[in-house]
Structure formats: C-alpha cells, structure tokens
Amino acid sequence: APVVWQTIDATHVRGEYTNAGYRIAAVLTFSDAGDLVSFRSDDRHQVDGVIDRQVPWLTPLSDYQMFGNARLARLGEAHWIEGNEAWAYGKFVLQDIEYNVH
C-alpha cells in the first residue's frame, strides 16, 4: 500500500495513506518490546443519525501472546475520544486465529 511513514520518536510513527483523493493518517505507538499498543486517528467520522463529526479514534491493544508462530495482541478496544475523555464502544478478545488456510 502507498503509505508514507514518518518517525516521531523511538516508540511512535505516523502513517499517511492516500487513495482516490482521500487521505487518512494515524499515529502508531509501540512498546519498548516492539509491540503495537495503540493506533490513533483523527480521520474517523462519528455518526448518530443526526450529527456527523470527526473525532479522534483510538485502538489500544494489550496482552500479547503466542498464537501458533505469531505473537499477537489478545485484547483490543475501540475508543472515541471526546474532549478529555475516551469511551470504549468495542472490546475484543482474540481466542484463536487461523491464517494462510487453503
């Protein structure tokens, strides 16, 4: 994918993707061990049927474990950030995964 990466510091990078005139960007945060622990974007729309607005979106990841040969986050959440508060609208628990299944 045509992603332009920018290093922010030792644990943060910014990725920007452009396609068909649309641009999205996010900041990815990694732990000192190299695990992805957060993805934040300001490009997501929150729509409630009346209001359509852009608010920051955050996906914290945690509890990294081995699933076969892959080290993956077992826990994840999806948060909206409104003002100084974040609230989870989705929580995910990875129990099992299969990939490259033919």
Side-chain angles (χ1 to χ4, degrees):
V3 178
V4 176
W5 295 102
Q6 173 190 7
T7 300
I8 298 172
D9 60 31
T11 58
H12 296 86
V13 296
R14 182 177 188 275
E16 185 174 303
Y17 174 77
T18 303
N19 186 25
Y22 294 96
R23 181 199 61 82
I24 59 171
V27 173
L28 287 70
T29 303
F30 296 86
S31 70
D32 290 336
D35 295 327
L36 177 63
V37 294
S38 178
F39 173 101
R40 179 186 168 130
S41 176
D42 295 332
D43 298 325
R44 187 149 173 137
H45 285 259
Q46 183 186 64
V47 181
D48 67 4
V50 177
I51 298 171
D52 178 349
R53 61 187 179 151
Q54 280 184 270
V55 295
W57 178 59
L58 181 70
T59 57
L61 301 168
S62 62
D63 194 23
Y64 274 79
Q65 297 181 11
M66 295 303 295
F67 289 86
N69 293 328
R71 181 174 160 78
L72 302 170
R74 192 180 75 81
L75 303 176
E77 294 186 356
H79 294 185
W80 292 115
I81 301 172
E82 297 182 272
N84 293 328
E85 296 188 36
W87 57 274
Y89 67 90
K91 295 186 178 193
F92 309 93
V93 178
L94 180 60
Q95 296 176 336
D96 190 28
I97 190 166
E98 292 184 42
Y99 48 93
N100 295 333
V101 178
H102 299 287

